[in-house]
Amino acid sequence: MAAMIGRDLLSLADLSADEVQQLLQLAAQLKSGQMSLRCNKILGLLFYKASTRTRVSFSAAMYQLGGQVMDLNPDVSQVSRGEPVQDTARVLDRYLDILAIRTFEQQQIETFAHYAKIPVINALTDLEHPCQILADLLTVQECFGELAGLTLTYLGDGNNVAHSLLLGCALVGMNVRIATPPGFGPNPAIVEQSQAIALSQTEVMVTHDPEAAAKGATVLYTDVWASMGQEAEANSRIPVFQPYQINEQLLNIADPNAIVLHCLPAHRGEEITDGVMEGSQSRIWDQAENRLHAQKALLASLLGAN
Ligand code: CP
């Protein structure tokens, strides 16, 4: 993975199809113990939003690689007092070896990456969640072997997770269907980008029909109906999004061997029922574990661990 050393991961589209496959292969080898890598570097976590999985899995991955982690809470640094991003980025660049940022605007992370020479990783923005989707693809690969030709259906809000799924599925040759209520569809520019990446035989569907999207799908996937920063709309969204809930009826029209994924945290009884979440087709806990392995592979590749 020498070609990835020193690069940023701001969007899943920053990776080629081959690089995604190589990262998944490395993640599987690290998970199984077939491969062990070390790198004595420092990871900074600059998170402007709450996180459990991303924060802990990045930290555990870096410690397991032999590195160190600094949690750069914006509330106790000059960042929260308005120090310009271009100044903070150039200073952090002098102390750290790699930086993972969770924030609101994609533009902010792009500015960080422009001014910092160290690798910058998107740990979630309003536009994308690329690290989540690397773990998701690893989970699907573990269940089915091959990714190409499978069909992933995402139901719910056309948010950052939907955007990175569009790009990730297109990169690995999976059919991708995004079913949202009218007015909540994915960013058209990301849909176009995914269509441009996808091979001619790969389906990229955006629809308002949850049943058409779920029919025969190999993976059903959902996320909360109101993301961080949209809490004020949460109650008014519930009736609008109700037809997009992953429940037993919807699971019955998917492929009989379908698996169910959720990036978490979940609002049980809203976007997914308790029964499906705890049911035999759920792979949600493996998916959460795979954040660790996928991000360890990413850190190792960007830092040139050996
Ligand atoms: N899925 C995910 O990113 O979880 P956290 O918000 O807990 O990091």
Side-chain angles (χ1 to χ4, degrees):
M1 296 294 280
M4 287 190 62
I5 297 172
R7 281 172 41 193
D8 302 313
L9 181 70
L10 308 184
S11 161
L12 216 43
D14 292 340
L15 300 174
S16 68
D18 281 351
E19 286 167 345
V20 173
Q21 297 289 359
Q22 286 166 25
L23 277 174
L24 297 180
Q25 188 184 356
L26 178 58
Q29 289 170 329
L30 291 167
K31 181 174 182 176
S32 68
Q34 195 184 335
M35 169 90 80
S36 173
L37 293 170
R38 300 289 294 172
C39 92
N40 182 20
K41 304 275 178 145
I42 303 174
L43 164 69
L45 298 178
L46 183 57
F47 280 27
Y48 295 82
K49 292 179 173 182
S51 167
T52 297
R53 279 143 289 271
T54 310
R55 183 192 301 281
V56 178
S57 57
F58 260 121
S59 302
M62 198 62 188
Y63 289 133
Q64 289 177 10
L65 286 168
Q68 316 228 10
V69 181
M70 293 185 71
D71 195 344
L72 310 167
N73 180 348
D75 290 340
V76 294
S77 66
Q78 303 292 1
V79 164
S80 61
R81 298 179 64 241
E83 182 169 13
V85 167
Q86 57 266 41
D87 298 355
T88 306
R90 281 178 287 192
V91 171
L92 294 181
D93 174 79
R94 307 285 177 114
Y95 305 144
L96 304 170
D97 298 299
I98 190 163
L99 181 59
I101 302 175
R102 168 168 289 205
T103 189
F104 295 85
E105 299 91 14
Q106 184 77 10
Q107 181 59 52
Q108 189 191 31
I109 202 168
E110 286 172 7
T111 307
F112 262 106
H114 179 78
Y115 285 98
K117 292 191 284 293
I118 55 172
V120 172
I121 298 173
N122 180 346
L124 181 143
T125 61
D126 290 345
L127 191 68
E128 274 209 57
H129 199 358
C131 298
Q132 176 67 55
I133 276 55
L134 290 174
D136 302 340
L137 294 175
L138 178 61
T139 311
V140 177
Q141 187 167 272
E142 285 174 346
C143 293
F144 296 104
E146 289 294 316
L147 293 172
L150 300 178
T151 298
L152 181 146
T153 293
Y154 171 92
L155 300 117
D157 189 24
N159 61 10
N160 43 14
V161 169
H163 294 155
S164 293
L165 281 171
L166 277 162
L167 295 168
C169 289
L171 279 162
V172 299
M174 284 177 71
N175 304 309
V176 56
R177 304 174 184 163
I178 306 289
T180 74
F184 294 93
N187 182 321
I190 301 264
V191 177
E192 268 183 41
Q193 197 179 3
S194 308
Q195 287 164 335
I197 292 169
L199 300 172
S200 56
Q201 68 270 25
T202 303
E203 175 188 29
V204 178
M205 177 203 279
V206 176
T207 178
H208 302 310
D209 183 340
E211 295 193 356
K215 193 158 186 255
T218 6
V219 182
L220 293 186
Y221 192 125
T222 190
D223 187 10
V224 291
W225 290 338
S227 298
M228 284 180 277
Q230 299 170 329
E231 289 80 2
E233 295 173 40
N235 284 341
S236 63
R237 284 188 176 206
I238 291 174
V240 178
F241 279 77
Q242 191 60 45
Y244 301 84
Q245 182 189 64
I246 298 186
N247 52 34
E248 289 71 3
Q249 290 76 21
L250 204 72
L251 192 49
N252 274 338
I253 62 175
D255 185 284
N257 296 315
I259 63 167
V260 176
L261 300 181
H262 189 310
C263 53
L264 302 174
H267 288 174
R268 291 168 181 247
E270 291 187 14
E271 74 275 3
I272 188 166
T273 59
D274 242 349
V276 171
M277 204 158 161
E278 300 292 350
S280 61
Q281 289 169 272
S282 167
R283 295 292 177 275
I284 291 169
W285 315 114
D286 293 335
Q287 178 189 12
E289 177 188 336
N290 283 337
R291 297 294 305 275
L292 169 68
H293 308 296
Q295 285 156 205
K296 196 191 296 180
L298 178 65
L299 290 168
S301 301
L302 299 179
L303 289 168
N306 49 44

